[in-house]
Amino acid sequence: MALTEFNLIKQFFTRPAQGKSTRLSVGDDCALLSIPEGYELAITTDTMVENVHFFPDVLPEQLGHKLLAVNLSDLASMGAEPIAITLALTMPKVDADWLKAFANGLFALADKYQLDLIGGDTTSGPLTLSIQAMGLVPNNQALKRSAAKVGDLIYVTGCIGDAGLGLKIKQGFRGADVQQVLQRFNKPEPRIKEGLALRSLANACIDISDGLAADLGHILNNSGVGAKLDYAQIPMSEAVTSYIQKTDDWQMPLIAGDDYELCFTINTENVRRLNISCTCIGIIEEEQGLRIMQNGETSIFNKSGFEHFNT
Ligand code: ADP
Ligand code: MG
C-alpha cells in the first residue's frame, strides 16, 4: 500500500526528542525551542538538488548523511553547537526503501550530536532536499567572516582537495586511491568539535564548501584585508599529491569545493592555545587580494570556486 504524506512523516521522521532545547517537536504547526540565557541562536539552511549537488546514482544513506553534514559544517564554522534541524523533502514518488535508507544516514549523524529533527515539509516534485540547522553560541562569540585582522595566521583543518579529486574520479579520472577519496566526497565529516574549540581563539572562520580560494576570499572581502598563502604548506593527501604530479593540475585543491574543512584566522598570541589538529598555510596582510607563494615566486590568484548562475 502506498504511504501517505502523514504516514511517511510518522514512520521515518518522527522520533522522541532528546535535545535539552526541544520543547515541542514534529506534529504541530511549529516546533518550539528554548534558548538558554546568554546564548544566541545560529541558523543556516542548505539545499541539495539532484544533478546539481549529487548524482542520481548516489546511495540514499550517503545523501542523508551529506545533506546534514553540509548544514552542520556551517554551524561548525560559526562556533555553534548544533541543537535541532528541520527537513524539507521534495520527491517525485514515495519509495519506502529509499526513505528508510535516507533517514538512516541522516539520523546516524544526528545522533552523534544528540540533534532533534523537529519539523519540516514534505511535497512532491523533482528530488530536492533542504535542511535548516540551528545551533547555540554564547553571546558575541560567533566566528564571523568579517573578523580577520592584519597579521593573523591562516589555518585549515584536515586535508584539502580530496573531495575535488573524488569529483574528478566520478567524472572519469583513474589512478588514485578511489575508495578513500570517494568517501571524503560522499561522506564529509562536519568539524563541529574544532569549531567549538575555536570559539574563544580564532578571529574569522569559514567552512570550505566552494573551494579554499573562494571561501578564504569571502573572509578577505568581508574583513577588508588580503592574504598570502604558502602553497607547499597546504595539507594534501597522498592521493591528491599524486594526482597533481600526474596531471600538473596544481590549482585543483584551491578551486575544488566540498571538502567541508574549516579555514580560520587567528592572532599569533592565541596560536599557542590551539589544541585541534590544523595546519598554518599563510598570513593575513593589509594589501588586498589573494597571493600564492610557490617555488620561490609570489603570484596573484584570481580563480574562484564554484558559483551557481555563473555563465
Ligand atoms: P502544515 O500543513 O501545518 O505545514 P504539515 O502537514 O506540512 O504541516 O506537517 C505536519 C507535521 O509534520 C509538522 O509538524 C511538520 O513540521 C512535520 N513534517 C512535515 N514533513 C516533515 C519531514 N520531512 N520531516 C520532519 N517533520 C516533517
Ligand atoms: Mg506544510
Side-chain angles (χ1 to χ4, degrees):
M1 197 188 74
L3 272 171
T4 64
E5 178 189 337
F6 294 103
N7 284 337
L8 86 82
I9 294 167
K10 189 151 182 269
Q11 186 168 341
F12 299 111
F13 300 112
T14 308
R15 306 189 326 161
Q18 47 182 337
K20 52 186 186 300
S21 300
T22 308
R23 291 286 166 267
L24 186 63
S25 190
V26 172
D28 214 314
D29 289 316
C30 292
L32 298 173
L33 290 176
S34 72
I35 312 303
E37 185 75 34
Y39 283 79
E40 290 166 336
L41 186 65
I43 306 177
T44 180
T45 188
D46 255 311
T47 296
M48 291 175 66
V49 180
E50 188 170 40
N51 294 315
V52 178
H53 300 91
F54 58 90
F55 295 96
D57 68 348
V58 69
L59 297 175
E61 201 148 356
Q62 285 172 345
L63 200 56
H65 173 99
K66 188 161 178 178
L67 177 67
L68 180 52
V70 302
N71 277 280
L72 295 187
S73 177
D74 281 327
L75 291 182
S77 76
M78 298 292 287
E81 177 194 356
I83 55 169
I85 54 170
T86 61
L87 170 68
L89 208 52
T90 302
M91 51 200 172
K93 62 179 178 7
V94 175
D95 175 341
D97 291 337
W98 190 95
L99 281 165
K100 188 170 186 351
F102 172 81
N104 281 346
L106 187 129
F107 284 124
L109 181 58
D111 286 345
K112 241 176 119 170
Y113 301 101
Q114 285 92 51
L115 265 186
D116 288 329
L117 172 60
I118 57 170
D121 201 17
T122 305
T123 52
S124 76
L127 190 58
T128 305
L129 312 154
S130 292
I131 277 183
Q132 181 185 52
M134 287 147 278
L136 295 176
V137 61
N139 285 342
N140 303 315
Q141 280 193 27
L143 302 169
K144 299 191 204 123
R145 298 176 177 188
S146 54
K149 303 267 182 319
V150 173
D152 278 1
L153 297 178
I154 303 167
Y155 278 75
V156 289
T157 59
C159 289
I160 305 300
D162 282 339
L165 180 53
L167 181 60
K168 299 268 179 209
I169 289 167
K170 293 289 294 180
Q171 291 167 339
F173 176 76
R174 286 289 164 265
D177 179 352
V178 172
Q179 280 321 313
Q180 192 203 333
V181 288
L182 273 183
Q183 175 81 356
R184 290 262 304 172
F185 177 72
N186 286 320
K187 210 160 177 270
E189 287 300 328
R191 297 294 189 184
I192 293 290
K193 181 169 58 78
E194 288 79 357
L196 294 178
L198 290 172
R199 252 181 199 169
S200 47
L201 295 178
N203 282 334
C205 186
I206 195 165
D207 68 319
I208 304 176
S209 54
D210 296 331
L212 175 60
D215 289 317
L216 174 58
H218 293 311
I219 289 185
L220 303 183
N221 287 338
N222 290 20
S223 301
V225 294
K228 183 154 72 189
L229 295 186
D230 183 350
Y231 186 83
Q233 298 305 315
I234 299 174
M236 296 176 202
S237 66
E238 272 176 38
V240 168
T241 311
S242 110
Y243 163 82
I244 292 171
Q245 273 163 3
K246 279 200 188 100
T247 61
D248 266 348
D249 184 11
W250 62 272
Q251 297 189 0
M252 186 278 281
L254 292 166
I255 57 180
D258 263 359
D259 278 320
Y260 299 102
E261 296 295 346
L262 298 181
C263 174
F264 61 94
T265 82
I266 180 168
N267 70 39
T268 49
E269 274 286 287
N270 283 349
V271 164
R272 286 180 287 120
R273 293 165 52 209
L274 270 179
N275 59 353
I276 57 169
S277 167
C278 55
T279 311
C280 182
I281 60 168
I283 186 163
I284 296 291
E285 297 177 330
E286 201 170 340
E287 187 186 343
Q288 307 278 307
L290 177 60
R291 289 162 292 284
I292 311 272
M293 265 189 329
Q294 200 182 5
N295 307 322
E297 281 177 32
T298 301
S299 51
I300 294 172
F301 194 81
N302 279 325
K303 284 214 176 144
S304 53
F306 183 77
E307 270 183 59
H308 293 271
F309 308 114
N310 191 357
T311 48

